Amino acid sequence: MDPDGEGERPLRREPSGVTASDPPLSSSSSSSSAAASAVCARGHPVLRPAVPVPSDIEVSQSIVRDVGLLPIEIVASEAGILPPELLPWGIGKAKVMVAPTLRRLADVPDGNYVVCTGINPTPLGEGKSTTTIGIVQALGAILGKKAFACIRQPSQGPTFGIKGGAAGGGYAQVVPMEEFNLHLTGDIHAISAANNLLAAAIDSRMYHEDSQSDDALYRRLALAKSGMPFTSVMRRRLVKLGIDDTKSPEDLSTEERSKFARLDIDPSTITWNRVLDVCDRHLRKIEIGIGPAETIQPRGTNKGEVPRVQHSRTTGFDIAVASEIMAVLALARDLPDLREKLGNMVVAYSRSGMTVTADDLGCGGALTVLMKDALLPTLMQTVERTPVLVHAGPFANIAIGNSSIVADRLALKLAGEDGYVVTEAGFGADIGMEKFFNIKCRASGLKPKCAVIVATVRALKMHGGGPPVSAGKPLPREYTDENIPLVRAGCCNLVKHIENARKFGVEVVVAVNQFKSDTAAEMEAVREASLAAGAFDAVVANHWAEGGRGAEALGRAVIAACEASDVGNFRFLYDLALPIRAKVETISREIYGADGVDFSELAEQQMAQYESSGFGNLPICIAKTQYSFSCDPKAKGVPTGFRIFVREIRSCVGAGFLYPICGDIMTIPGLPTRPGFYDVDIDVETGQVIGLF
């Protein structure tokens, strides 16, 4: 994540994207079997792309206006979801009741599991989300397969700031894209509410502990209502402390009461920040508790003996999607698992070195209540009316970068043995795909059959030594003129990603996402390099301009790769029993090609603390730049002779991983000089959103 937000917002696709070479689909077209009639393989109207392709929001609004959204109840019915399992949210989206649907489909074999990832991108993006949607449109609308896309919900921070939306693009996108990219069904708002409730609980608890005796604390916590038993979350703390949880509050000894009531948080160990879904660099570091009411009479002193002291500390904000609660949402298997993960989140340590969790603060149950509806995936549709499950949205360079286990499990059952689920892994394969395999698949128990790696001629030219690519500036001639040697030189980046994917035992299909300036010879050079590196197939796709028809060959390649795959070959990169250091070194050497890893003194201390706390067996989620295999975003191709520097290691114990922070990675981005919100407005006559992309 660019800490300053400059140079990140991509150009609109028109100047650099595909211009459809074929006429719009119609009943007279004979270029594909799906175009030979007025309806597609699923019985819906054939997509008729415009030439040239309009902006993403214009495409979305034209679909809604001219073709019409398929009522979400019909989308659900065609997907195999029964009416009692659906919670409609307007005409274009709905929540899906996961538990009853999975119970009903428990004996149905899973569909074919496919992950879509990419090479290290340019700042303009290479169309990974668009390709995910394009493949599913090809599988469903063109080839007649039952197919689902599982994608992340975008953060409003980048949408209004530096990156734009993430609904796909052109004629391979989720509609309505305005709803997809904005509030959707409120999941990110729920995450913000839950995260900030826990943050408030931390500071409030320290405030009260610093001004009250153990006896006063205990009376207010456990004896406020005579005869009331310990609450459920209180009993969890009793079990943790080794105190008999069948006792009543009145029965605890003086020593037990003190242990129960006083968390004794060491402020220097607090890792929990507040969050908001906005890019706001000025909140990265703040001081709280400086108001006149935030003073205390120190514990053990009487009023007037010593002056009251300010109860303040330094903290900060993260962007909402960087919250551990977002990671928990992505990795929880069901509601009971969500409750356990939220309660187990470690937010600090006591002065004696004991972990302090959300359940210790009494928050675990309340957090789950705030998140119960967010656990349900949102059902939407593509421009060709194929189903999409939108769920979770953790960033890939600071979190796991994948949509949820819940959505994937649900889609795999709905798709059935002959169906397909394409789930997206964010940013380059060195980040999103590695985390998908080693963290998400380990947590879910699901085994993918195929990895689709998205590449563009443009990005490969950059990796081959082409000049820098910057948002908002015209592309240099190297990118618009044929330059086969530059493409071949840059294919080293793609080859390394293919080799990495094959280490996990999955088949690899390369999707060459075609732009209008790409020549046949350049794209053939990419195909040749891919096949030589061991890819199952490499296919040029034009879904941005043509929808599913433009990705038909890619869809067929995915089908063939899944048929050829043996899930028994799937394997992880490292054993969880390895020490933290060894796991970080394995990822750095095997995936990034680093010579080794250097740890700061702080990171060394944190590794020792985590291992002594019993967290050493967690998987690793490295936070680093998406633009290079190394931690230097300017190091293109396949860098050599470098080392990874880990400046600190944070824990996401509830979600179930540790994340080393490498390089200049921030957990809340800033706004660029000209943010995206300059373009966004509303037609006050029609209420239609304009300028969003």
Side-chain angles (χ1 to χ4, degrees), residues 155-242:
S155 166
Q156 287 180 163
T159 295
F160 286 120
I162 59 176
K163 191 173 182 290
Y171 287 100
Q173 65 169 298
V174 182
V175 293
M177 69 91 76
E178 308 97 305
E179 296 185 26
F180 176 90
N181 284 307
L182 298 177
H183 301 286
L184 198 60
T185 48
D187 293 355
I188 293 180
H189 302 316
I191 289 166
S192 298
N195 184 102
N196 293 340
L197 174 64
L198 183 53
I202 295 168
D203 288 298
S204 176
R205 185 59 171 265
M206 289 195 298
Y207 176 89
H208 291 302
E209 287 194 20
D210 286 346
S211 60
Q212 298 180 45
S213 67
D214 291 357
D215 180 64
L217 276 171
Y218 186 78
R219 282 189 286 105
R220 289 183 170 91
L221 286 169
L223 299 175
K225 296 181 180 180
S226 179
M228 289 290 291
F230 285 113
T231 64
S232 174
V233 73
M234 289 178 173
R235 289 197 300 273
R236 288 171 180 259
R237 176 157 174 78
L238 292 172
V239 171
K240 175 180 178 178
L241 296 172

Side-chain angles (χ1 to χ4, degrees), residues 629-660:
F629 280 110
S630 73
C631 290
D632 178 5
K634 296 179 181 179
K636 305 303 181 183
V638 182
T640 58
F642 69 93
R643 297 179 67 83
I644 297 293
F645 177 69
V646 177
R647 71 171 195 253
E648 65 174 304
I649 303 176
R650 299 184 184 178
S651 67
C652 284
V653 174
F657 59 80
L658 303 175
Y659 69 105

Side-chain angles (χ1 to χ4, degrees), residues 569-617:
N569 292 331
F570 179 71
R571 55 191 175 271
F572 301 119
L573 187 67
Y574 53 79
D575 190 321
L576 290 181
L578 290 173
I580 297 171
R581 180 190 303 275
K583 286 180 284 194
V584 176
E585 290 174 341
T586 298
I587 295 169
S588 299
R589 287 195 172 98
E590 292 292 322
I591 301 299
Y592 309 151
D595 290 344
V597 182
D598 298 317
F599 296 86
S600 71
E601 183 178 348
L602 173 61
E604 294 278 5
Q605 294 170 355
Q606 290 167 327
M607 282 192 292
Q609 183 179 50
Y610 296 146
E611 289 180 342
S612 67
S613 298
F615 306 146
N617 63 343

Side-chain angles (χ1 to χ4, degrees), residues 453 455-457 510-514 518 523 526-527 538-542:
I453 299 179
T456 64
V457 167
V510 172
V512 184
N513 189 17
Q514 181 184 357
D518 300 345
M523 292 184 289
V526 179
R527 174 177 163 79
V539 182
V540 175
N542 196 12

Side-chain angles (χ1 to χ4, degrees), residues 202-203 206 265-273 313 315 347-349:
I202 295 168
D203 288 298
M206 289 195 298
I265 294 172
D266 179 351
S268 69
T269 67
I270 297 173
T271 57
W272 198 261
N273 282 347
R313 70 179 182 93
T315 182
V347 300
Y349 284 81

Side-chain angles (χ1 to χ4, degrees), residues 316-336:
F317 274 77
D318 296 331
I319 198 162
V321 292
S323 170
E324 183 178 353
I325 296 178
M326 175 61 89
V328 166
L329 178 64
L331 293 173
R333 294 174 59 88
D334 48 32
L335 186 60

